[in-house]
Amino acid sequence: MVTLDKPMSSADISDTALALLDDDGTVIGWTREARRLTGLAPGDAVGRAAGLVFPGLASGRETPGDADACGSGDSRPGRAEARHLDGRLLDVTLRVSPVRGLRGAVSRLVSLAGTAALPEGPRGAAVGPARLAGDPVGVVVRDTELRCLWANDTVEDHDGIPVGRRLGRRVSDVRPGPEADVLEAVMRQALHSNTTKVHEYRTWLPTGSGREHTFAVSFQCLQGADGRTLGVCVLSTDVLRHRRTRERLAVLGRIGARLGSTLDVMQTGQELADVAVPLLADYVAVDLEQSLSFGQGPPVRVGATGRNLPGLRRAGLASIHRGVPESPWMRGELVHVPPVSPLAGVLRAGRPQLEQVRDSASSPWVDEVPALARRVREHGMHSIMAVPIRARRALLGVALFVRTRESEPFDETDLLLAEELVGRAAQSLDNARRYTRKHNAALALQRTLLPRRPTGGTAVDVASRYLPADVDHSVGGDWFDVIPLSGARVALVVGDVVGHGLHAAATMGRLRTAVRTLAGLELPPDELLAHLDDTVQRLGEEDCDLPEQVPAVAGATCLYAVYDPATLRCTLASAGHPPPAVVDPQGHVDYLDLPTGTPLGVGLGDPFEAVEVDLPEGSVLALYTDGLIETRAHDLDAGMDRLAGALARPGRSLEDLCDAATRPLAERDPCDDVTLLLARTRALGPCREATWTLDGDPRAVRTARVLAARQLGEWGLDGLVDATELLVSELVTNALRHGDGPGPVGLRLLRDEVLTVEVADGGSTLTPQPRRARTTDEGGRGLFLVAKLSRRWGSRPAPDGKVVWAELDYPRSAARTGPVTAAPRDVPAEVASAPAPLEAA
């Protein structure tokens, strides 16, 4: 079938402007379409260097598109510029096609069109640019006698005539027949009328595929500098192939939104496989670098794999056959990559590969994986494309596209389409990878900043809830902590940093570390908050780049409480924090009347006040942040009433109370971080404590040793007698020598999770410092021995001086639940007869 002057807008060849260059890059031929596009007449362009007409094309050899060949060595169509007659630069789509002439001569044909010729992808963006529109174009340049002067290799794929046989001959010389006569007639019309003619014909490709193809051919008159006709330029393109590419581009634009619907890398890999079958391939496997799904380890750089290939994990599978029988590996399994397979080559070079798998002789790598070789033969896999998944110079994995016996082999256009599809998926995978890494970092930060399994020892039972407003990263500015102190006491802390997310969490971590450090100094709550306030102000000053900048942590609040199970008393101080709630054993809820104090870092200089309250055994102390009681829909009073109602449930476990208090917030998006810490008090009991008061006489040291040894015997801790006697001796001696005056010295033994020895005196020096004694010194080794004998030791302030304490671990053979008697309140007779009288505690 012959159709003359038929516009082929689908093939985009009728409006293509042409310019012929010689080997030196000089324009030697110009067409009417080139004049229409640029305004340059043949005399304005012919004879000039290509770089003057097409800026950036200095020698005529450079190409604006990809360097990869398109079957004929053509460049891919790409964005470029052409100079207009009025001097302005035009945005055009430009392509350079090398052509061969007689006796090995080489020339180039430049084809250009307006940027509207670029196919649009999703959201109006040019694809690649125009990579998928880069179908191979056949080029033939003929003289006025219609003899072939120049041709490229692509035209051989269109009609099966080699370039060498075509040069110097007419169409009727190499392929006589009616079709040749029609083609020559159309060429003469183009020569005589100086117009573009388009012809369409159908034929069977010489590859023997058995399918009819339709070709569109355009004919343009080529003119010299004086306007004289030099010949005719013939462009041919496969209409069927072009139409199929366009259809796939349209489908690609529609399915692009399906990629990246999740931030899960494995799911994204499966989405890529699903959209490619059957659009592009019969079977697709997507393998990702194995650490990608965990967000761990540094990214694998493209081309930097060396001898050791990165491990791959199968993330996506799709097939036209149910059950994906082609794959020897299922999703989630590690994939074995033969060293000489296309996948290995892609991983090493970072470039796509297209391979025809005809038999084991042509592809010996197949037999290296017997399970794969069997499937290749069973399903007639004959064409494979392996495309690297790359983003930000990182190799994320590889996608494998396969066609089976019922389909045509892949060609270069299919490879370009696969690259475009994989490129879009790579962006989604890179986003998922970055999110996974950031999410894992946030979770790791949360694990390090918040206590994993908070425990109150024998002092309190605790339960907690933490609901960050930044649900994506599960971190925020709230924090809580349960800190064991000496003497079986425990510190309970809740704080709130202004803001949400990672920055607030990092600031919170600095404050939590500061609180733990200050708590180790055994400071009273009001003094601890004063030191913490100074710390926050210094941190804020360090974070400010400019003097007038507001500190990042200004306005943080904190509530610090210390509970003593021996006295059942709790000491609390607040820095701008909501008041804690106390639930008595009968379920009555009261909010403590606690001085609010100023928030941390404000710098007003107001002192913090501490309050002591009695907490009977079984009471529940509730510490929380304002996110629990303040919402957009309710004010503070309503929130506090709601919290009181949730806590007023006697007999319920702490976990049930936490759920009741936070359940209404968990059902909606929180507007602020929410933290709740519940502590149910326990009593230490007199059977675990023994206390004495000793006169300030040097002979009290022996008395203290005797009392301690006797008490350990009653507790069944005879294995600790020697170490305890030595500790008691050194601590009491230190108190007598360095305390203020000859006042009494208190001795206390505490049987808790560890054995604690405490000695109290009226000394003003809070923390005694051990020193390294010389070999000739008779003293100075007491505290050194204390440090060596105990698991840890320290001191804390007391109302009338200080307390120095040391802890001992129980021997493994000793039963901590051995005989227990009441603490002695009267001095034994044998001790009372000692030279130094004792005052009963």
Side-chain angles (χ1 to χ4, degrees):
M1 180 181 69
V2 178
T3 304
L4 298 181
D5 300 321
K6 180 179 179 181
M8 294 296 297
S9 57
S10 62
D12 290 331
I13 62 172
S14 60
D15 296 330
T16 301
L18 302 177
L20 185 64
L21 312 181
D22 63 14
D23 191 41
D24 295 328
T26 302
V27 179
I28 59 175
W30 199 248
T31 64
R32 182 176 179 180
E33 292 298 329
R35 179 174 184 172
R36 182 188 59 81
L37 180 63
T38 65
L40 297 174
D44 300 324
V46 176
R48 302 178 67 182
L52 298 177
V53 182
F54 311 112
L57 204 65
S59 66
R61 304 176 189 276
E62 294 81 354
T63 59
D66 297 339
D68 295 337
C70 184
S72 63
D74 294 6
S75 69
R76 302 294 176 196
R79 300 279 186 179
E81 293 179 334
R83 191 173 303 279
H84 194 269
L85 178 63
D86 57 14
R88 58 190 171 95
L89 294 178
L90 304 174
D91 290 331
V92 297
T93 305
L94 190 145
R95 179 179 195 162
V96 179
S97 302
V99 290
R100 289 187 288 160
L102 293 170
R103 293 179 292 276
V106 177
S107 186
R108 282 170 171 77
L109 184 77
V110 177
S111 56
L112 61 154
T115 52
L118 283 175
E120 296 295 322
R123 301 182 180 91
V127 179
R131 284 164 51 85
L132 299 181
D135 298 317
V137 175
V139 177
V140 177
V141 178
R142 298 182 179 274
D143 60 15
T144 55
E145 300 299 324
L146 304 184
R147 293 186 295 263
C148 179
L149 299 177
W150 309 92
N152 69 348
D153 294 333
T154 301
V155 73
E156 180 181 348
D157 298 330
H158 293 177
D159 57 17
I161 302 174
V163 174
R165 181 184 169 196
R166 186 190 310 268
L167 291 174
R169 297 180 176 87
R170 296 167 49 173
V171 178
S172 56
D173 294 334
V174 296
R175 191 176 182 178
E179 183 67 28
D181 296 337
V182 172
L183 290 175
E184 290 186 352
V186 177
M187 293 181 198
R188 292 190 183 94
Q189 288 183 14
L191 287 173
H192 296 316
S193 62
N194 191 19
T195 58
T196 301
K197 300 294 182 180
V198 176
H199 169 68
E200 181 181 326
Y201 67 95
R202 297 176 182 175
T203 186
W204 280 263
L205 293 179
T207 54
S209 61
R211 297 189 180 185
E212 186 181 52
H213 280 243
T214 302
F215 289 90
V217 186
S218 75
F219 306 87
Q220 294 190 40
C221 178
L222 204 62
Q223 296 178 310
D226 54 1
R228 183 172 53 87
T229 300
L230 301 179
V232 61
C233 186
V234 183
L235 299 184
S236 61
T237 183
D238 188 335
V239 175
L240 178 62
R241 179 174 181 172
H242 190 89
R243 182 181 299 119
R244 184 178 62 183
T245 301
R246 291 280 184 165
E247 291 172 352
R248 289 177 176 177
L249 275 174
V251 175
L252 184 62
R254 293 195 298 268
I255 68 176
R258 294 172 54 187
L259 292 174
S261 62
T262 175
L263 289 175
D264 181 85
V265 294
M266 297 293 286
Q267 184 60 33
T268 303
Q270 183 59 44
E271 289 177 353
L272 172 58
D274 290 337
V275 301
V277 174
L279 170 66
L280 184 59
D282 301 326
Y283 159 64
V284 174
V286 179
D287 300 327
L288 301 180
E289 198 272 319
Q290 60 181 347
S291 67
L292 194 65
S293 58
F294 305 106
Q296 300 173 351
V300 178
R301 295 300 177 186
V302 175
T305 55
R307 295 183 179 179
N308 299 322
L309 297 175
L312 297 179
R313 188 179 301 275
R314 185 134 293 178
L317 278 175
S319 171
I320 60 175
H321 303 106
R322 178 174 298 181
V324 198
E326 300 94 336
S327 177
W329 298 283
M330 295 294 102
R331 292 189 66 206
E333 295 182 349
L334 293 177
V335 176
H336 170 65
V337 180
V340 295
S341 67
L343 266 66
V346 167
L347 293 175
R348 292 191 183 97
R351 292 191 296 270
Q353 287 194 18
L354 191 157
E355 179 174 323
Q356 307 299 329
V357 182
R358 297 180 179 86
D359 49 40
S360 298
S362 62
S363 303
W365 61 270
V366 174
D367 292 330
E368 293 190 15
V369 185
L372 178 61
R374 177 172 55 83
R375 286 170 169 81
V376 169
R377 287 187 286 270
E378 286 179 355
H379 300 281
M381 300 182 189
H382 60 81
S383 189
I384 292 177
M385 293 188 300
V387 181
I389 306 174
R390 301 171 298 185
R392 301 175 185 269
R393 299 183 62 189
L395 183 65
L396 307 183
V398 61
L400 185 69
F401 302 84
V402 179
R403 282 184 178 169
T404 55
R405 60 173 60 93
E406 293 84 5
S407 304
E408 289 185 354
F410 289 120
D411 56 26
E412 293 291 338
T413 303
D414 295 319
L415 183 59
L416 289 172
L417 184 62
E419 287 185 82
E420 186 67 27
L421 188 62
V422 170
R424 299 187 184 192
Q427 297 178 6
S428 301
L429 284 170
D430 186 50
N431 291 336
R433 174 181 67 91
R434 296 169 63 195
Y435 170 81
T436 302
R437 292 177 66 89
K438 188 175 182 180
H439 185 66
N440 289 345
L443 293 179
L445 179 64
Q446 179 191 17
R447 286 193 295 267
T448 58
L449 297 183
L450 295 178
R452 295 187 184 182
R453 293 178 295 274
T455 175
T458 57
V460 293
D461 295 322
V462 296
S464 62
R465 291 294 184 273
Y466 175 67
L467 304 175
D470 186 359
V471 295
D472 290 335
H473 299 113
S474 301
V475 293
D478 287 6
W479 92 91
F480 68 92
D481 211 344
V482 181
I483 307 172
L485 303 176
S486 64
R489 299 170 307 132
V490 64
L492 306 171
V493 192
V494 168
D496 184 0
V497 174
V498 175
H500 316 293
L502 289 176
H503 178 72
T507 303
M508 171 265 287
R510 300 165 77 180
L511 296 188
R512 177 172 180 259
T513 301
V515 170
R516 277 195 160 256
T517 301
L518 294 172
L521 300 178
E522 304 274 3
L523 298 176
D526 54 341
E527 293 185 25
L528 183 141
L529 290 182
H531 285 284
L532 184 62
D533 183 49
D534 293 337
T535 301
V536 170
Q537 292 186 50
R538 289 196 300 270
L539 291 177
E541 293 171 358
E542 293 174 359
D543 290 340
C544 290
D545 296 328
L546 300 175
E548 63 274 12
Q549 185 174 347
V550 179
V553 294
T557 64
C558 182
L559 179 66
Y560 186 82
V562 176
Y563 173 71
D564 189 342
T567 63
L568 302 183
R569 294 188 66 79
C570 183
T571 306
L572 308 95
S574 173
H577 206 77
V582 175
V583 187
D584 65 19
Q586 290 73 40
H588 300 294
V589 182
D590 290 313
Y591 287 95
L592 296 181
D593 186 10
L594 191 66
T596 303
T598 57
L600 300 172
V602 175
L604 297 181
D606 296 337
F608 299 97
E609 300 181 47
V611 172
E612 286 190 357
V613 295
D614 293 323
L615 295 180
E617 185 176 10
S619 301
V620 175
L621 181 65
L623 309 182
Y624 55 91
T625 57
D626 57 2
L628 182 64
I629 59 174
E630 185 178 17
T631 64
R632 294 187 179 97
H634 302 90
D635 57 14
L636 287 176
D637 292 337
M640 295 175 71
D641 292 341
R642 181 188 57 79
L643 176 60
L647 297 177
R649 304 182 181 189
R652 296 292 185 91
S653 68
L654 294 181
E655 293 293 335
D656 290 341
L657 294 180
C658 283
D659 289 340
T662 59
R663 186 178 297 113
L665 299 176
E667 295 173 354
R668 60 178 182 268
D669 293 335
C671 57
D672 194 5
D673 301 324
V674 174
T675 298
L676 174 64
L677 176 62
L678 299 182
R680 177 170 281 134
T681 61
R682 301 170 64 181
L684 187 62
C687 62
R688 292 183 176 272
E689 179 187 16
T691 306
W692 303 271
T693 301
L694 310 174
D695 283 340
D697 188 282
R699 288 173 293 181
V701 176
R702 175 182 175 275
T703 304
R705 289 200 301 266
V706 173
L707 292 172
R710 177 176 291 277
Q711 186 61 52
L712 291 181
E714 294 177 356
W715 282 344
L717 299 175
D718 299 285
L720 289 179
V721 170
D722 292 340
T724 304
E725 283 186 330
L726 188 52
L727 281 178
V728 168
S729 177
E730 295 297 339
L731 293 180
V732 173
T733 299
N734 193 71
L736 292 174
R737 290 183 177 179
H738 303 288
D740 291 348
V745 174
L747 174 63
R748 183 189 186 205
L749 295 184
L750 190 65
R751 182 170 179 258
D752 190 42
E753 294 183 339
V754 294
L755 179 66
T756 303
V757 178
E758 296 182 352
V759 174
D761 63 63
S764 59
T765 302
L766 180 58
T767 305
Q769 298 295 328
R771 66 183 179 87
R772 186 173 298 277
R774 297 188 296 267
T775 56
T776 57
D777 291 344
E778 297 181 359
R781 300 177 179 85
L783 291 180
F784 180 77
L785 291 175
V786 171
K788 290 296 183 183
L789 289 172
S790 61
R791 67 190 298 268
R792 67 183 188 127
W793 74 281
S795 65
R796 66 175 182 268
D800 299 324
K802 69 175 183 296
V803 174
V804 183
W805 53 269
E807 295 177 349
L808 287 171
D809 289 318
Y810 296 109
R812 294 183 179 180
S813 59
R816 293 175 52 191
T817 58
V820 176
T821 61
R825 295 298 176 183
D826 296 321
V827 179
E830 63 270 25
V831 177
S833 61
L838 295 173
E839 175 185 351

